[in-house]
Amino acid sequence: MALKLYDLAGAEPERRFSPYCWRTKFALLHKGLPFETIPWRFTDKGVIAFSKQGSVPVLVDGDHVVSDSWAIANYLEDTYADRPSLFRGEGGRAVTKFINAWADGLNGALAPLIVSDIFGLLDDKDRTYFRETREKRFGTTLETVGANRDADVLAWRKLLQPLRAVLGAHPYLGGATPAYADYAVFGCFQWARCVSPFRLLLEDDPVWAWRGRLLSAFDSYAGKAIGYPV
Amino acid sequence: MALKLYDLAGAEPERRFSPYCWRTKFALLHKGLPFETIPWRFTDKGVIAFSKQGSVPVLVDGDHVVSDSWAIANYLEDTYADRPSLFRGEGGRAVTKFINAWADGLNGALAPLIVSDIFGLLDDKDRTYFRETREKRFGTTLETVGANRDADVLAWRKLLQPLRAVLGAHPYLGGATPAYADYAVFGCFQWARCVSPFRLLLEDDPVWAWRGRLLSAFDSYAGKAIGYPV
């Protein structure tokens, strides 16, 4: 039986833009597990109340319910230990957790640059919730939060330096083949791609080529997703 | 025959404070390789001219000369492949390179907080060189560069968040046992400890306990080094 994943969506059911859900989708693809996704909106709290919290991703695997992308990755690694490893051993799990937390910070730094583009793509029922929570978080209106993004993206690109150090020597953070460390970071770029025409990367950046490899991975699962060709 | 390591020293020959040399010393200890260290000062360029560059660490292993801490780690891993692994496989090497590059950034952000303390510990022959190069780098005098460090350290501690994410779940970045990822980051803290009484970490920070484990590792090799008990 296919696993079920509650996956953040916009007004269009197929616009799936959560960076954390992208991590989980790639983890499922990496493990080769069949799964179906269920479009979910920010205000559908009741729909996932069975998970005892209010955010996606939520994974349902038979009787097992797991939320939080890192917990899901660990669940998949341990439950499907006979399938390709996401972490490649216990040492790999710890260093991957490091990169996962670093990528959380990258998401946080990216949010002000793209959050204004998200609003217009949301289902009507999510808009008030989104505006209120994000304007509180950023301390300003959605219309002004990304006003300096042409300049701010230059500082954001500097945060990518550890990525570039690896990608000059290896095709993936996982080495010769991708691993969960790649998916954790890729979620950030795919989030942006799904919601914003704003250009994050320059084509001569090794991160650009790496992102392209992941867009093509798993029969272009991410590359085929609704988004902007940037 | 013991390997030889040229190791940055202050006026006191046993004050060894380079974060990059600390990475290499821990890599040698991890591999269980006998080595001797040779105190070296910033202006001893002629002494390591055989390495075709001007910085330490420089490792001499029989006929092999390797400089740059990351190149040395790779050399040791590949040459002494039958000894405990620094990276734990090719995937581990790539993610470790990521953390290594992240730690380089951590060093860069720490430098303004401690550089003024380094000056007074240097051999007389290094002082003019050090003042000129560092004042050019920081765009201000050594006497003023760290003037706001009581406030700046609060921002610096926030950079440690990915470390804390791991150390809440694992004793080391390497998982249950330390690996080169740990040594790459530990070098930053040991650098500070060797040169500055300035308090970087609070005792309730999980990074504090991790640092303590590494100070005790390998028969307290780092814990016994000349430095400040902070």
Side-chain angles (χ1 to χ4, degrees):
Chain A
M1 193 178 71
L3 287 75
K4 284 200 280 191
L5 176 69
Y6 290 84
D7 190 14
L8 184 65
E12 299 157 276
E14 293 310 312
R15 190 178 298 272
R16 307 294 180 89
F17 60 94
S18 160
Y20 303 101
C21 291
W22 277 106
R23 293 179 184 179
T24 297
K25 286 180 276 189
F26 268 70
L28 289 161
L29 291 164
H30 184 100
K31 285 285 185 188
L33 294 164
F35 65 98
E36 58 177 285
T37 63
I38 301 159
W40 180 91
R41 275 81 183 197
F42 285 112
T43 50
D44 287 341
K45 302 295 186 190
V47 174
I48 57 168
F50 66 89
S51 73
K52 300 186 173 59
Q53 54 85 60
S55 299
V56 292
V58 170
L59 183 73
V60 180
D61 182 13
D63 295 336
H64 295 276
V65 175
V66 194
S67 57
D68 178 86
S69 61
W70 180 251
I72 292 171
N74 281 272
Y75 169 81
L76 294 174
E77 183 76 346
D78 296 337
T79 306
Y80 299 99
D82 56 329
R83 289 171 177 256
S85 173
L86 293 164
F87 305 133
R88 310 206 180 114
E90 282 311 300
R93 192 183 301 237
V95 291
T96 301
K97 188 171 175 62
F98 180 97
I99 294 179
N100 190 72
W102 177 84
D104 291 349
L106 199 63
N107 286 340
L110 178 62
L113 280 64
I114 62 170
V115 70
S116 62
D117 292 322
I118 297 174
F119 184 76
L121 300 170
L122 295 176
D123 193 278
D124 282 344
K125 69 180 179 181
D126 274 1
R127 292 191 179 192
T128 301
Y129 166 85
F130 189 82
R131 179 180 287 281
E132 285 179 359
T133 54
R134 271 50 180 181
E135 293 191 345
K136 185 175 177 190
R137 183 180 301 171
F138 296 109
T140 184
T141 66
L142 288 178
E143 286 66 28
T144 56
V145 64
N148 294 317
R149 68 182 182 181
D150 288 336
D152 293 343
V153 73
L154 302 179
W156 189 82
R157 283 183 194 142
K158 287 185 184 167
L159 299 176
L160 306 178
Q161 197 50 41
L163 277 183
R164 293 187 191 107
V166 179
L167 299 175
H170 304 269
Y172 297 102
L173 298 178
T177 58
Y180 194 77
D182 293 276
Y183 312 145
V185 181
F186 176 74
C188 181
F189 293 95
Q190 184 68 355
W191 174 35
R193 189 173 182 277
C194 288
V195 298
S196 179
F198 183 62
R199 184 72 173 257
L200 287 183
L201 291 170
L202 303 181
E203 290 186 34
D204 62 354
D205 191 328
V207 182
W208 172 278
W210 165 82
R211 191 190 68 140
R213 288 191 284 276
L214 289 166
L215 284 169
S216 302
F218 305 117
D219 194 25
S220 294
Y221 186 88
K224 290 174 183 168
I226 292 183
Y228 294 90
V230 289
Chain B
M1 194 177 73
L3 287 76
K4 283 199 281 192
L5 176 68
Y6 289 84
D7 190 15
L8 184 65
E12 299 157 279
E14 291 311 310
R15 188 178 299 273
R16 306 296 179 85
F17 59 94
S18 159
Y20 303 100
C21 291
W22 277 106
R23 293 180 184 179
T24 297
K25 285 179 278 190
F26 268 70
L28 289 161
L29 291 164
H30 184 101
K31 285 286 186 187
L33 293 165
F35 65 98
E36 59 178 284
T37 62
I38 302 158
W40 178 92
R41 275 81 182 197
F42 285 112
T43 49
D44 287 341
K45 302 294 186 193
V47 173
I48 57 168
F50 66 89
S51 74
K52 300 187 172 59
Q53 54 85 59
S55 300
V56 292
V58 170
L59 182 74
V60 181
D61 183 11
D63 294 338
H64 296 275
V65 175
V66 194
S67 57
D68 179 86
S69 60
W70 181 251
I72 292 170
N74 281 274
Y75 169 81
L76 293 174
E77 183 76 346
D78 297 337
T79 306
Y80 299 99
D82 56 330
R83 290 170 176 255
S85 173
L86 293 165
F87 306 132
R88 309 205 182 116
E90 283 310 302
R93 191 183 304 236
V95 289
T96 300
K97 189 172 175 63
F98 179 96
I99 294 179
N100 190 73
W102 177 85
D104 291 350
L106 199 64
N107 286 340
L110 178 62
L113 280 63
I114 62 169
V115 70
S116 62
D117 291 322
I118 298 174
F119 184 76
L121 300 171
L122 295 175
D123 193 278
D124 282 344
K125 70 180 180 182
D126 274 1
R127 293 193 177 190
T128 302
Y129 166 85
F130 189 82
R131 178 179 288 281
E132 285 179 1
T133 54
R134 270 51 179 181
E135 292 191 345
K136 185 175 177 190
R137 183 180 302 171
F138 296 109
T140 184
T141 65
L142 288 179
E143 286 68 27
T144 56
V145 65
N148 295 317
R149 68 182 180 181
D150 288 336
D152 293 342
V153 74
L154 302 179
W156 188 82
R157 283 183 194 140
K158 288 185 184 167
L159 299 177
L160 306 179
Q161 198 48 42
L163 277 182
R164 293 187 192 107
V166 180
L167 299 175
H170 304 269
Y172 298 101
L173 298 179
T177 57
Y180 194 76
D182 292 275
Y183 312 145
V185 181
F186 177 74
C188 181
F189 293 94
Q190 185 67 356
W191 173 35
R193 190 174 181 277
C194 288
V195 299
S196 178
F198 183 62
R199 184 72 173 258
L200 286 182
L201 291 170
L202 303 181
E203 290 186 33
D204 61 354
D205 190 330
V207 182
W208 171 278
W210 164 83
R211 191 190 68 141
R213 289 192 283 276
L214 288 167
L215 284 169
S216 302
F218 306 118
D219 194 25
S220 295
Y221 185 88
K224 291 174 183 168
I226 291 182
Y228 294 89
V230 287

